[in-house]
Amino acid sequence: MSVPVLVAEASRRAERLGFTASCEDPAGPMLAVLAAAVPRNGRILELGTGSGVGTAWLVSGLTDRDDVTVTTVELDADLVKAVSEASWPSFVTFVEGDAGEVLPTLGRFDLIFADAVAGKWTGLELTLNALAPGAVLLVDDMSPALYPDPEHQAIVRRVERSLADDPRLISVRIPAGTHLTLATRRY
Ligand SMILES: C[S@@+](CC[C@H](N)C(=O)[O-])C[C@H]1O[C@@H](n2cnc3c(N)ncnc32)[C@H](O)[C@@H]1O
């Protein structure tokens, strides 16, 4: 997939801001593919906006659709300001706050990209509770080898086990890029 204009803009923003944690291939293009499959009037949530690269990939999958909403939550007020000043479709909402606090207030979603500390390394259950039946969850940065700290490696393994063993989910590990786990919440 070629790089959509919005993604290129967000990547330039990341460079300008010195933000180095944007999603990489294949996570980015996968977000576009998964967004395109969201059902009519569906809802998409991203935890951790960063500089907007993931948001831009999600939006790129929604060409010609205005029935879907995208909500993205970010703790860092400066990032929220920088990203939300750019031009986005009206169905994108930027929420400034701690995903751990905000998540229980947002309702259920058809696609969640869990890419912040909260809702992934802590409070995974909040994210699972926010998956509608049939919803898809993408979790990035799942390779323990990414983290020098053995405690964080243990957290990654615990999250991986939780996703694999949860009877509400069917999941697959994708050992590409920073390693992904893709899960569907069963009906
Ligand atoms: C890996 S980056 C997100 C990258 C972005 N999703 C993308 O695809 O380009 C993680 C982001 O989560 C934010 N973050 C960390 N803890 C958070 C929390 N508790 N609630 C919301 N955002 C948080 C960080 O400030 C950072 O911008």
Side-chain angles (χ1 to χ4, degrees), residues 107-112 126-138 168-169 183-185:
R108 286 186 155 192
F109 293 86
D110 303 288
L111 171 61
I112 300 182
L126 297 173
T127 300
L128 301 187
N129 288 339
L131 291 168
V136 170
L137 170 67
L138 185 67
R168 295 168 295 181
L169 301 176
T184 297
R185 181 164 177 146

Side-chain angles (χ1 to χ4, degrees), residues 19 21-24 31 46-55 73-76 79 97-100 113 115-118 120 140-141:
F19 184 81
S22 299
C23 64
E24 298 168 10
L31 290 170
E46 178 186 40
L47 301 176
T49 312
S51 73
V53 172
T55 318
V73 182
E74 171 58 53
L75 186 60
D76 184 324
L79 284 176
D98 183 335
F113 179 36
D115 201 26
V117 172
K120 178 163 79 166
D140 202 2
D141 302 331

